[in-house]
Amino acid sequence: RKVAEWREENKAEMIPGVLFIDEVHMLDIECFTFLNRALESTLSPIIILATNRGMHTIRGTDIRAPHGVPLDLLDRLMIIRTLPYQLDEITQIIRIRAATESTTIDEDALQALGRIGERSSLRYAVQLLTPGKILAQINGHDNITLSEIEEIDTLFHDAKQSAQLLQEGGAYLS
């Protein structure tokens, strides 16, 4: 009430913001109902929804919908198509991340990490920087070399490799 009063007296100004919701397919039907109501408000924020799902069941229902978003909300959205990163883009992102973490990496090791990112995911490739740096220190190197990347690639599994291993009846421990 007080905010509305201040707005009428020009003592306060409401500035709508931006609401970013990642993994939107994880929201349930009650959340989507709330978002629909929020979009009706005069102070509605810009809402950005992100997901990597195609057809998905809306949580709390038995309804399958594109991206796991109810159709009445989906009709109000602008969908932006994204494309997977190319090898050179993955490599550049890893280069920037390594520099941000003050990690030096040989060019051939960087290229190998880029290929790993292309094979699995950018997130996984970036995660390998830390064990790569630790292994380089253990080996007495100031920077990550190709041999460290090759070794950590045999030590760790990405999600796809792990799922495949388990599906084939393999085990992590023997």
Side-chain angles (χ1 to χ4, degrees):
R1 241 185 287 187
K2 194 69 171 171
V3 172
E5 216 176 277
W6 287 349
R7 284 182 54 215
E8 287 176 20
E9 297 171 2
N10 289 327
K11 290 182 179 178
E13 179 183 4
M14 295 294 286
I15 302 171
V18 175
L19 174 63
F20 181 86
I21 303 173
D22 195 9
E23 306 290 348
V24 72
H25 60 275
M26 298 296 291
L27 298 181
D28 65 13
I29 193 68
E30 292 177 15
C31 291
F32 287 119
T33 301
F34 174 80
L35 284 175
N36 256 330
R37 270 189 273 134
L39 287 170
E40 308 266 331
S41 166
T42 56
L43 298 173
S44 171
I46 294 170
I47 299 177
I48 300 171
L49 308 175
T51 185
N52 59 0
R53 302 289 195 238
M55 290 298 289
H56 193 73
T57 302
I58 301 168
R59 292 183 71 153
T61 73
D62 294 327
I63 302 167
R64 286 184 57 79
H67 315 296
V69 176
L71 294 177
D72 59 332
L73 180 59
L74 197 62
D75 286 341
R76 305 172 92 181
L77 302 177
M78 181 183 336
I79 298 173
I80 300 171
R81 182 173 160 241
T82 58
L83 300 171
Y85 288 117
Q86 299 298 311
L87 177 59
D88 60 329
E89 294 168 321
I90 293 170
T91 305
Q92 182 61 23
I93 292 166
I94 296 169
R95 178 181 282 116
I96 292 167
R97 182 61 182 262
T100 301
E101 294 179 5
S102 301
T103 301
T104 53
I105 181 168
D106 290 349
E107 187 61 31
D108 54 348
L110 182 64
Q111 294 301 319
L113 263 184
R115 289 189 297 277
I116 291 170
E118 187 177 44
R119 177 189 78 211
S120 58
S121 71
L122 173 61
R123 179 176 289 155
Y124 177 68
V126 168
Q127 288 173 336
L128 292 179
L129 281 172
T130 300
K133 183 176 183 177
I134 292 168
L135 188 57
Q137 290 170 344
I138 289 169
N139 292 338
H141 300 139
D142 292 330
N143 51 333
I144 301 171
T145 66
L146 179 59
S147 65
E148 277 97 27
I149 297 302
E150 289 170 343
E151 185 171 347
I152 62 171
D153 194 29
T154 64
L155 295 174
F156 298 99
H157 296 294
D158 64 26
K160 293 174 198 170
Q161 290 171 322
S162 176
Q164 184 178 5
L165 178 68
L166 291 173
Q167 193 172 31
E168 293 170 353
Y172 285 107
L173 302 173
S174 357

